[in-house]
Amino acid sequence: NCHRACCIMWICSTIAGKKSSLWPSIYSFFTTVTEHAASCGSAVQLLVESHRYGLASILVCQCLKCKTIFRCHTSDSTTINTHTHYSTNLGAVLGQIATGGGADHLIEQLSCVQVPSLSNTSFIPLERTIGNEFEKMVSKGLLSAGQLEKQLAIEQGNYHQGVPAVTVVVDAGWSKRSHKHSYNAKSGVGVIFGAATKQLLYIGVRNKYCSVCAISEHKSSPVPPHQCYKNWTGSSCAMEADITLEGFRLSEQMHQVRYLWLIGDGDSSVYNAVVTGVPAYGRYMTKVECANHAVKC
């Protein structure tokens, strides 16, 4: 029975991608069980019933003589904001986020290998938890990159009206390729990179669509409480200029620097938005045409 349980644990940990890290704890568990069986003089049986938490489980063994219960977790745990989650479940959700999938995709994929998956009610909270951690990590990275750009500007003596001035690279992307027509993407993202460090200084997202709001509108029903990501009602083409303008306006607040040189594509709307929309230094900003965009065009 112990050998059978050990094989089951090895398979579970392999599926979870945690074989190497979990093996010491699994070995310790079965060592304890084996020593107990030897001292008690009875077999230790793997119970059919176990507790499953998404992709993680707690396997239960019981001594047939003294009825002592032994438990072993098939996944280690991670604590995020005082809440403990099984790492296997976090990894599964993170994988779906990285590949553009969701709860339904995970269920379909795991069903092919007959592995029970996370339910929607378990998947969504983990997705939000990971998303919040992403935001914290990105914010921390932005501030760190800004301080590095500021330090380099100071060392090189680049100032504008007493404020360190840096060169930035600006670009944007959309959820749908336009091929120079049908500029109606539902979502767009804009970024500002420091030219010296090649690190991200600002990122902004504009969404024209929220599935919860759209379904409620279609059904003519009240919109339920939810985290709405819709933050844009203008045209898709105007997303890039608005995000870039927002980033320039926040440059001194976030990083204590001014973006005095802008490297970007030939879109004049971005340049005009910054020149007219940043009172402190917009009119002093210099536009540098991006060679990569120029060659591609």
Side-chain angles (χ1 to χ4, degrees), residues 52-55 103 105-108 110-111 115-119 123:
R52 188 172 67 85
Y53 302 92
L55 294 175
H105 295 87
L106 181 62
I107 293 172
E108 292 175 3
L110 294 179
S111 66
V115 176
S117 181
L118 286 161
S119 63
F123 186 97

Side-chain angles (χ1 to χ4, degrees), residues 164-185:
V166 302
T167 303
V168 294
V169 181
V170 175
D171 203 1
W174 288 263
S175 59
K176 173 184 177 183
R177 294 186 66 86
S178 63
H179 300 290
K180 299 186 178 181
H181 64 83
S182 301
Y183 295 93
N184 56 0

Side-chain angles (χ1 to χ4, degrees), residues 2 33-45 62-67:
C2 286
V33 170
T34 303
E35 291 176 351
H36 176 86
S39 62
C40 193
S42 175
V44 177
Q45 183 179 18
Q62 185 178 40
C63 178
L64 297 179
K65 182 178 180 180
C66 67
K67 307 303 180 183

Side-chain angles (χ1 to χ4, degrees), residues 145-216:
Q147 290 305 304
L148 184 56
E149 282 282 344
K150 176 183 176 181
Q151 183 61 34
L152 292 175
I154 293 174
E155 292 175 358
Q156 296 170 4
N158 294 331
Y159 290 91
H160 179 257
Q161 297 177 346
V163 181
V166 302
T167 303
V168 294
V169 181
V170 175
D171 203 1
W174 288 263
S175 59
K176 173 184 177 183
R177 294 186 66 86
S178 63
H179 300 290
K180 299 186 178 181
H181 64 83
S182 301
Y183 295 93
N184 56 0
K186 301 291 186 182
S187 180
V189 58
V191 293
I192 299 176
F193 280 86
T197 62
K198 297 180 175 60
Q199 295 184 21
L200 187 65
L201 299 177
Y202 184 79
I203 181 170
V205 178
R206 298 293 182 268
N207 289 311
K208 299 172 63 175
Y209 181 80
C210 171
S211 60
V212 177
C213 294
I215 292 173
S216 298

Side-chain angles (χ1 to χ4, degrees), residues 6-19:
C6 189
C7 290
I8 292 174
M9 283 295 300
W10 187 88
I11 293 171
C12 291
S13 61
T14 301
I15 293 173
K18 295 287 184 177
K19 184 178 67 174

Side-chain angles (χ1 to χ4, degrees), residues 2 22 29 41 51 70 79 103 110-111 127 130 159-160 168 193 199 209 231 257 262 283 291:
C2 286
L22 282 178
F29 169 76
H51 306 284
F70 302 90
T79 301
L110 294 179
S111 66
E127 187 178 38
I130 293 174
Y159 290 91
H160 179 257
V168 294
F193 280 86
Q199 295 184 21
Y209 181 80
N231 60 0
V257 300
L262 183 156
R283 62 185 181 276

